[in-house]
Amino acid sequence: MTKKELIENINALRKEKNAIILAHYYQEAEIQDIADFVGDSLALAQWAAKTEADIIILCGVHFMGETAKILCPEKHVFIPDMEAGCSLADSCPTDEFERFINENPGHTVISYVNTTAKVKAVTDIVVTSTNAQQIVDSLPKDEKIIFGPDRNLGDYINKLTGRNMLLWNGACHVHEQFSIERILDLKKAYPDALLLMHPECPKYLLEIADHIGSTSSILKFATESQNKEFIVATESGILHQMQKENPDKLFFPAPPEDSTCACNECFYMKMNTLEKLYLCLKNETPEIFVEEEIRVKAVKPIKAMLEISEKCGL
Ligand code: 13P
Ligand code: SF4
């Protein structure tokens, strides 16, 4: 099937089945272009919570599909490739995280959305990188907090909020593999470029950034800035929207350690293709299911996140 036929078929099927296609900024450009909505992980959860569609196709990774299913148990939620996981979610096995919680009683448990449904089920409040600071700030100053699984985001939020949260030692393989030497070389080549970075990057990298924020925050910053050149240190899929919204500006992907690659891609995110999206919509598989016992526990911290976010205008 040609790309044009794939697009025509996807458009016909989504209409016929009352399906909505939600895509994360890290998806392939052609998936972003066909989606009903493109956003960061908070916005995808917010869209899933309010959609009236019967079917949600979540073009992202597994935990994003799970979050949509937890919020909308009556809907069918599909992801184009069931193998699209997340190294950060994998760095936090439920039994080990539960042991950590039990070893540190009296703590409120905050988990990044990049976790499995089972980890969310033992969590008090879920956060994303868009709302983590506001959610931590909404808690009393003396509240003892466990933050998991991203040690880099946790460390950064500790610094922003003046807290001393106990951190789980997890990380994302994409954001940990940027090369500081190659970023500095890029800065030398483009001295006017501002360095935009995701808070999943380690501290030694965050220290040289001009702006730190979630994918949507990086996009907003670049759009509102008077500057014309930017080096972008997060998964390179975001450059598609940045370029689309700012055709007169230049965006350079920050390079990884591996000197054969110019940009840094999440291979899980890139498992989804236009063809798999078409097949998923046509065959209604692979479907995301969450055990009801886990779902009823996991929905509480996600709803808590959505409520605080709404109060904060996020
Ligand atoms: P955002 O919440 O910024 O979209 O990040 C999601 C993610 O997976 C980052 O690696
Ligand atoms: Fe997970 Fe990292 Fe990929 Fe985001 S970029 S989905 S945190 S592995």
Side-chain angles (χ1 to χ4, degrees):
M1 210 179 284
T2 63
K3 188 174 157 185
K4 187 168 168 279
E5 286 167 337
L6 277 175
I7 292 171
E8 282 167 4
N9 284 329
I10 290 170
N11 286 335
L13 283 167
R14 76 167 135 198
K15 207 168 164 197
E16 178 193 319
K17 298 188 177 202
N18 189 25
I20 189 170
I21 301 171
L22 306 178
H24 189 265
Y25 289 126
Y26 296 164
Q27 291 293 284
E28 294 286 0
E30 51 198 23
I31 293 184
Q32 294 190 38
D33 288 343
I34 205 168
D36 293 289
F37 176 76
V38 187
D40 68 1
S41 43
L42 173 62
L44 294 178
Q46 288 168 327
W47 266 85
K50 70 181 181 200
T51 183
E52 286 180 2
D54 297 315
I55 287 179
I56 299 174
I57 310 281
L58 204 312
C59 297
V61 292
H62 190 267
F63 75 80
M64 295 176 176
E66 254 187 0
T67 304
K69 183 65 184 177
I70 292 166
L71 285 164
C72 316
E74 75 293 351
K75 296 190 192 301
H76 292 287
V77 179
F78 304 98
I79 60 172
D81 191 322
M82 204 48 134
E83 299 301 312
C86 168
S87 59
L88 181 51
D90 288 347
S91 70
C92 190
T94 321
D95 50 346
E96 289 175 33
F97 192 55
E98 258 191 297
R99 201 173 318 130
F100 183 60
I101 295 170
N102 292 335
E103 282 165 4
N104 296 284
H107 286 68
T108 295
V109 180
I110 295 188
S111 293
Y112 196 26
V113 70
N114 300 42
T115 44
T116 60
K118 284 187 177 163
V119 166
K120 290 185 177 79
V122 296
T123 291
D124 296 305
I125 315 177
V126 167
V127 298
T128 74
S129 45
T130 291
N131 57 25
Q133 182 183 357
Q134 289 85 343
I135 287 179
V136 170
D137 274 340
S138 75
L139 299 175
K141 270 280 169 223
D142 57 351
E143 189 136 336
K144 294 200 281 182
I145 302 172
I146 283 175
F147 186 97
D150 192 293
R151 59 175 176 248
N152 297 323
L153 177 64
D155 187 51
Y156 176 63
I157 299 296
N158 265 343
K159 189 177 144 209
L160 287 183
T161 59
R163 305 270 177 155
N164 190 20
M165 300 186 293
L166 276 184
L167 307 183
W168 180 258
N169 191 19
C172 155
H173 74 289
V174 177
H175 291 87
E176 288 239 306
Q177 67 176 3
F178 286 110
S179 156
I180 189 154
E181 289 82 14
R182 295 184 75 201
I183 291 178
L184 292 173
D185 285 348
L186 210 49
K187 268 178 88 90
K188 230 182 260 169
Y190 301 98
D192 295 333
L194 293 178
L195 176 58
L196 315 182
M197 199 172 278
H198 199 281
E200 285 174 26
C201 291
K203 192 175 171 185
Y204 69 90
L205 285 174
L206 295 179
E207 277 166 0
I208 61 163
D210 296 301
H211 174 75
I212 300 166
S214 62
T215 48
S216 54
S217 160
I218 287 175
L219 176 61
K220 186 166 181 275
F221 182 90
T223 304
E224 291 175 355
S225 169
Q226 296 300 314
N227 216 66
K228 292 285 182 207
E229 295 178 359
F230 303 89
I231 300 167
V232 185
T234 189
E235 210 271 358
S236 54
I238 184 76
L239 270 79
H240 179 62
Q241 287 301 319
M242 295 180 114
Q243 201 65 78
K244 227 172 142 175
E245 291 188 21
N246 302 280
D248 60 326
K249 298 183 181 178
L250 281 177
F251 298 98
F252 308 103
E257 298 281 354
D258 179 352
S259 60
T260 59
C261 307
C263 65
N264 208 351
E265 290 195 337
C266 171
F267 63 83
Y268 295 115
M269 284 280 182
K270 298 307 195 257
M271 281 179 170
N272 296 327
T273 61
L274 202 59
E275 186 172 10
K276 286 184 196 170
L277 167 57
Y278 158 68
L279 291 172
C280 165
L281 197 48
K282 178 171 170 261
N283 301 326
E284 301 190 15
T285 186
E287 182 161 3
I288 299 270
F289 295 101
V290 178
E291 241 176 87
E292 187 57 11
E293 198 189 327
I294 300 292
R295 195 198 68 78
V296 293
K297 289 182 187 157
V299 78
K300 290 182 195 159
I302 300 175
K303 285 202 167 156
M305 167 183 82
L306 294 177
E307 275 160 29
I308 302 172
S309 299
E310 201 180 336
K311 272 191 209 143
C312 297
L314 296 168

